[in-house]
Amino acid sequence: MNMDIQIKEDLNQTLVVLEGEIDAYTAPKVKEKVAPLLEGFSGELVFDLSSVNYMDSTGLGMFVGFFKTVKANNGVFRLVGLSDRLKRLFDITGLAGIMEIK
């Protein structure tokens, strides 16, 4: 499955729109595009997952890494547009309690 990654940068916000499946094959592609943006990043990082229909533990780990990096720089990390299935993944793992999910 392919992963479409769109990045839209404003003054203080970076929006990353993902489309497809996040798994062991596609997560490295997302990391490759997003990681360079996070060096010294102290703004707001928002991931729009409204077009993500599947995610495995590799995806969860990727988001934990992004979350830690953004928080270490006093930035804001937010996930939006999650399907009920994806929300359940974050709830089960306890990540919904520490990450902002809308």
Side-chain angles (χ1 to χ4, degrees):
M1 181 70 169
N2 286 333
M3 167 60 63
D4 184 43
I5 306 163
Q6 296 178 31
I7 298 173
K8 302 171 185 173
E9 294 182 85
D10 280 337
L11 192 57
N12 289 323
Q13 183 188 70
T14 298
L15 174 65
V16 181
V17 181
L18 301 178
E19 182 178 340
E21 297 181 354
I22 304 173
D23 56 21
Y25 177 72
T26 59
K29 294 178 181 183
V30 176
K31 285 184 191 177
E32 182 180 304
K33 292 253 183 166
V34 174
L37 303 173
L38 299 183
E39 292 181 26
F41 183 84
S42 61
E44 180 180 11
L45 180 63
V46 179
F47 283 90
D48 181 345
L49 304 182
S50 54
S51 295
V52 172
N53 51 27
Y54 173 82
M55 183 169 60
D56 66 11
S57 60
T58 309
L60 288 172
M62 175 188 72
F63 286 119
V64 168
F66 291 155
F67 174 79
K68 286 181 176 180
T69 302
V70 170
K71 287 299 181 178
N73 291 318
N74 297 315
V76 175
F77 180 91
R78 183 176 299 128
L79 300 173
V80 298
L82 281 74
S83 67
D84 289 341
R85 183 177 181 168
L86 291 183
K87 283 180 189 170
R88 208 168 28 253
L89 267 177
F90 283 90
D91 286 338
I92 290 169
T93 58
L95 293 172
I98 58 171
M99 293 180 181
E100 186 177 341
I101 299 175
K102 295 197 177 213

